[in-house]
Amino acid sequence: MPTSHHPPTSATSMDPEELGFDPDALRAKYRAERDRRIRPDGKKQYRRIAGDLDSYAQDPYVEPEFTREPLHDRVEVLVIGGGFGGLLAGARLRQAGVRDIRMIEQGGDFGGTWYWNRYPGVQCDIESYVYLPLLEEIGYVPRWRYAPGEEIRQHARAIGRHFDLYRDVCFQTQVTELRWDDTELEWAVHTDRDDRIRARHVVISSGTLSRAKLPGIPGIETFKGHTFHTSRWDYDYTGGDAGGGLHRLADKRVALIGTGATAIQVVPHLGRDAERLYVFQRTPSSVDVRGNRPTDPGWAASLAPGWQRRRRDNFLTIVTGGQADEDLVNDGWTSTARLQQKLIPSDSYADLPPQERERLYEIADFQKMNGIRDRVDSTVGDTATAEALKPWYRYMCKRPTFSDTYLDTFNRPNVTLVDTADHGGVERITENAVVVGGVEYEVDCVIFATGFEVGVSGVTSGFLPVHGRGGVTLTEAWRDGPKTLHGFYSHGFPNLFQLGPLQNASSVNYVHILDEQAIHVAEVLAEARRRRARYVEPTVEAEAAWRATIREKAADLYDFQAECTPGYYNNEGMPRERSESFGDGPIAFHELLRRWRADGGMDDVLVV
Ligand SMILES: NC(=O)C1=CN([C@@H]2O[C@H](COP(=O)(O)OP(=O)(O)OC[C@H]3O[C@@H](n4cnc5c(N)ncnc54)[C@H](OP(=O)(O)O)[C@@H]3O)[C@@H](O)[C@H]2O)C=CC1
């Protein structure tokens, strides 16, 4: 397999000599690696954290014995979720003049994913100047280009303070049922702390990666050493903090299972501090240059009003394949997107037949991934380890990762990479060992960096029963697929707003998407107040029309995803026939929402 590569001399060349690599050979290699990884049980290979495994989900950051009196009250808006989605909803509602807001959050504070994920090395993988929301409103510029998790968590708390959202929040509380009362025109809300709350409107932002999952490895329960999931890091056991210094591991043999975006950040710390580290890998991540650096105070001082919106919009434009005059962020995310654009200049884009466009994208992709693989070769000394660390799939088959220390960690004498791909993953766990290919790796501690159930909002999975008009549940109403207008609201479920990617937009900078959603919901709610609307509800016709639009525009990702190595991006190797996100992308979607609001769209959802 040739690995040297140069830009093609002609945009249409497929000649291996000219390209410096053989596209057919690479395609075949990708397919072989995918086939090696496919498991017939797909998503069923994972275990939900419940029952015997409940201890993996316990909140290590709060007093377990916390109690409080149940609440019996009535509010204008109830927001479910205290991550960035919920915080943005709260903030945008406050800006729209809504004072009476109650928030309900499972964790002990605001932050969502940044509340739970405090593992060593946790860091934003999107530039923090475009990722952290409401920077200008709060008057804050992150201290690092890619901010550490603790700085992000503190920013979430600052939003809570700035918008006075701490006043009426219930932490350590889960909503257990929502039931629409068609007489009083409000929601009856029950929680696991016996609260009985009446809410005129409910906004749900319960997250898309919020339930940690474990692989269904036989013997997990039998392990007698210490074990936890990365989203519940046990610093009592490891010592240190999110900045590292895990001094209590100095005499410990540690197994880390998984090599996704989380593991890439954790491994350098475990490698440095543990006596012995085994990293159990099934599929290697693509690991690109990070180049983190402290924020230049001169640059921060020079930022003019509106800077964050401009930068965020510019980033979104570039990473979604649009044309921009400049690249303000200019990092691994945007340079990869620009690499594709270089091969397809904007003036000829419209003239290219789709097949030709796809072929050029593929060339750009091969070039990118060759660079990623070359980086492994030039960093990792041991040839077999380097070979195992090379990702053989297209760039966006898995969440790309960035690190300047991960690969180098495998040069340490105390660190061993264990490739589990031929065995479908770790085979077995015993009382004191992790087993792969019949070899027992004895360890004191097993850490699962095995990710989260994806897209499982409490609502779509039925964890949170939502009874709309006539007692019909949302899962019943959506039996044949989701039915919404713009992803936000559904007929039969008045005054209920959902944030999330379903029938809405999506992007790698997901917090940006959430902000646009929060702005939209706040505007609709503010208008409902102004008009004294009885409730907000789309018609059946509007819902059907939106569903037809989603279908018509649905990006056909099937062929791309079917060739990908399995993972949560392609439903563990069983890609869905079509996407449920708006196919023209987030920029067009946000423009559509703005137009809808300006052109009287609200007349159709506000029932006066
Ligand atoms: N913004 C940020 O900075 C960060 C964002 N994130 C987000 O969270 C998402 C989840 O990341 P992460 O927590 O890493 O989870 P992922 O789902 O990405 O990774 C899980 C890992 O566990 C491995 N695995 C699963 N089962 C087994 C098994 N039986 N044996 C061996 N290995 C196994 C997977 O292998 P395989 O790939 O073969 O399935 C994979 O490497 C990211 O994609 C990203 O969106 C995460 C960290 C930082």
Side-chain angles (χ1 to χ4, degrees):
M1 180 74 48
T3 55
S4 69
H5 49 88
H6 317 279
T9 49
S10 120
T12 51
S13 168
M14 282 301 265
D15 178 0
E17 283 292 306
E18 260 187 80
L19 285 171
F21 58 84
D22 181 351
D24 290 336
L26 277 174
R27 235 176 267 123
K29 171 76 175 164
Y30 285 10
R31 199 164 284 173
E33 285 295 316
R34 176 203 61 181
D35 292 347
R36 194 159 78 101
R37 274 276 293 102
I38 291 269
R39 282 179 55 139
D41 49 357
K43 260 181 11 184
K44 295 206 182 84
Q45 67 184 282
Y46 293 106
R47 286 181 65 174
R48 178 152 286 170
I49 294 183
D52 279 3
L53 303 175
D54 237 6
S55 59
Y56 283 95
Q58 261 160 29
D59 185 342
Y61 318 115
V62 291
E63 292 298 326
E65 308 310 329
F66 167 77
T67 56
R68 64 167 170 78
E69 289 301 311
L71 283 168
H72 294 269
D73 67 357
R74 183 171 251 116
V75 294
E76 184 173 355
V77 185
L78 182 109
V79 177
I80 302 177
F84 277 137
L87 284 166
L88 281 160
R92 297 301 183 191
L93 284 165
R94 286 277 198 255
Q95 288 176 325
V98 180
R99 299 302 306 156
D100 188 13
I101 303 172
R102 176 168 297 285
M103 297 184 71
I104 308 270
E105 161 59 39
Q106 183 192 352
D109 203 339
F110 288 126
T113 195
W114 303 102
Y115 172 84
W116 296 108
N117 286 282
R118 304 193 200 184
Y119 55 80
V122 59
Q123 193 180 87
C124 202
D125 71 353
I126 301 282
E127 195 199 60
S128 52
Y129 317 130
V130 297
Y131 177 84
L132 268 65
L134 300 166
L135 286 175
E136 290 194 67
E137 288 82 348
I138 303 284
Y140 184 67
V141 178
R143 288 196 293 265
W144 285 86
R145 188 170 188 210
Y146 302 96
E150 184 57 17
E151 186 178 358
I152 304 173
R153 196 172 74 80
Q154 292 305 335
H155 183 65
R157 302 183 69 212
I159 294 171
R161 287 193 299 273
H162 186 88
F163 291 97
D164 197 18
L165 298 170
Y166 274 100
R167 197 182 55 196
D168 290 317
V169 63
C170 298
F171 291 126
Q172 293 181 255
T173 303
Q174 276 184 282
V175 174
T176 50
E177 186 187 86
L178 293 174
R179 194 174 281 276
W180 175 249
D181 179 338
D182 212 23
T183 311
E184 300 293 329
L185 300 181
E186 62 190 14
W187 287 94
V189 183
H190 292 186
T191 76
D192 62 353
R193 293 197 180 269
D194 290 330
D195 303 310
R196 296 286 181 268
I197 303 168
R198 290 283 175 148
R200 194 155 163 65
H201 303 275
V202 173
V203 181
I204 303 179
S205 180
S206 52
T208 54
L209 287 171
S210 44
R211 298 180 75 91
K213 69 177 170 15
L214 293 178
I217 301 171
I220 279 194
E221 302 92 334
T222 63
F223 184 63
K224 292 242 162 70
H226 201 70
T227 176
F228 53 90
H229 187 274
T230 46
S231 64
R232 304 287 189 276
W233 195 271
D234 187 348
Y235 285 106
D236 284 343
Y237 180 81
T238 64
D241 56 28
L246 312 173
H247 57 92
R248 295 198 185 123
L249 296 181
D251 59 353
K252 298 282 187 296
R253 298 158 302 172
V254 176
L256 181 78
I257 300 183
T259 51
T262 298
I264 270 40
Q265 298 179 340
V266 168
V267 160
H269 292 279
L270 289 177
R272 192 178 309 124
D273 297 334
E275 180 192 349
R276 192 115 217 109
L277 173 66
Y278 298 101
V279 179
F280 292 88
Q281 169 189 279
R282 189 165 60 183
T283 314
S285 280
S286 68
V287 187
D288 207 348
V289 175
R290 176 70 308 172
N292 199 6
R293 56 171 187 257
T295 300
D296 171 4
W299 173 79
S302 74
L303 294 168
W307 72 267
Q308 192 184 24
R309 171 160 285 281
R310 276 194 297 282
R311 197 174 182 91
R312 223 170 48 162
D313 288 349
N314 178 259
F315 181 79
L316 188 62
T317 302
I318 294 173
V319 296
T320 55
Q323 299 290 333
D325 294 338
E326 53 182 343
D327 177 357
L328 294 172
V329 170
N330 194 16
D331 71 354
W333 289 106
T334 58
S335 67
T336 303
R338 282 189 294 118
L339 180 67
Q340 297 184 332
Q341 285 163 16
K342 250 189 267 165
L343 290 185
I344 310 176
S346 54
D347 50 359
S348 63
Y349 187 87
D351 304 330
L352 280 181
Q355 262 180 330
E356 178 63 3
R357 220 178 291 158
E358 169 46 30
R359 204 175 57 75
L360 293 173
Y361 278 146
E362 193 190 28
I363 291 175
D365 202 306
F366 284 144
Q367 289 177 338
K368 178 74 204 174
M369 292 304 284
N370 280 338
I372 296 273
R373 289 185 284 263
D374 286 354
R375 187 167 185 243
V376 179
D377 274 333
S378 60
T379 313
V380 179
D382 178 67
T383 315
T385 306
E387 219 37 55
L389 283 166
K390 287 182 193 165
W392 297 102
Y393 47 79
R394 285 184 67 166
Y395 187 66
M396 283 307 283
C397 281
K398 282 190 176 285
R399 175 99 180 176
T401 76
F402 306 86
S403 172
D404 299 332
T405 48
Y406 175 76
L407 294 170
D408 195 33
T409 303
F410 292 95
N411 292 323
R412 302 183 75 101
N414 64 325
V415 178
T416 305
L417 181 74
V418 183
D419 188 353
T420 71
D422 282 330
H423 311 278
V426 167
E427 280 174 85
R428 204 155 42 86
I429 293 183
T430 69
E431 284 187 4
N432 63 347
V434 176
V435 185
V436 177
V439 180
E440 295 198 13
Y441 298 86
E442 278 192 23
V443 290
D444 303 297
C445 173
V446 177
I447 302 172
F448 289 93
T450 46
F452 303 87
E453 292 185 46
V454 174
V456 183
S457 84
V459 178
T460 46
S461 62
F463 278 124
L464 166 54
V466 181
H467 300 268
R469 195 179 283 117
V472 176
T473 65
L474 198 73
T475 32
E476 282 162 8
W478 287 11
R479 198 178 303 120
D480 301 325
K483 288 187 226 157
T484 73
L485 175 60
H486 302 150
F488 294 112
Y489 12 61
S490 294
H491 185 77
F493 299 84
N495 290 358
L496 182 73
F497 303 81
Q498 297 193 52
L499 307 193
L502 207 63
Q503 300 196 344
N504 201 290
S506 195
S507 167
V508 292
N509 188 10
Y510 189 55
V511 175
H512 182 182
I513 301 293
L514 288 171
D515 196 10
E516 296 286 349
Q517 295 181 350
I519 288 167
H520 183 77
V521 166
E523 289 213 16
V524 173
L525 260 164
E527 190 61 21
R529 283 176 126 212
R530 265 194 293 278
R531 295 191 198 179
R532 298 185 189 284
R534 292 168 63 227
Y535 50 85
V536 181
E537 185 183 11
T539 61
V540 173
E541 292 74 26
E543 220 176 50
W546 184 244
R547 202 180 189 195
T549 304
I550 291 286
R551 294 275 179 278
E552 176 199 318
K553 294 187 178 296
D556 186 5
L557 292 173
Y558 186 86
D559 289 345
F560 178 90
Q561 292 197 339
E563 292 292 326
C564 282
T565 184
Y568 78 82
Y569 272 25
N570 71 347
N571 195 28
E572 298 299 333
M574 299 172 188
R576 297 190 173 83
E577 287 298 328
R578 56 177 172 254
S579 152
E580 276 292 345
S581 279
F582 182 67
D584 287 354
I587 304 261
F589 182 68
H590 298 151
E591 182 50 32
L592 180 148
L593 288 184
R594 273 190 285 278
R595 257 190 291 117
W596 181 86
R597 294 195 298 258
D599 296 347
M602 293 202 218
D603 298 347
D604 299 332
V605 294
L606 301 183
V607 181
V608 281

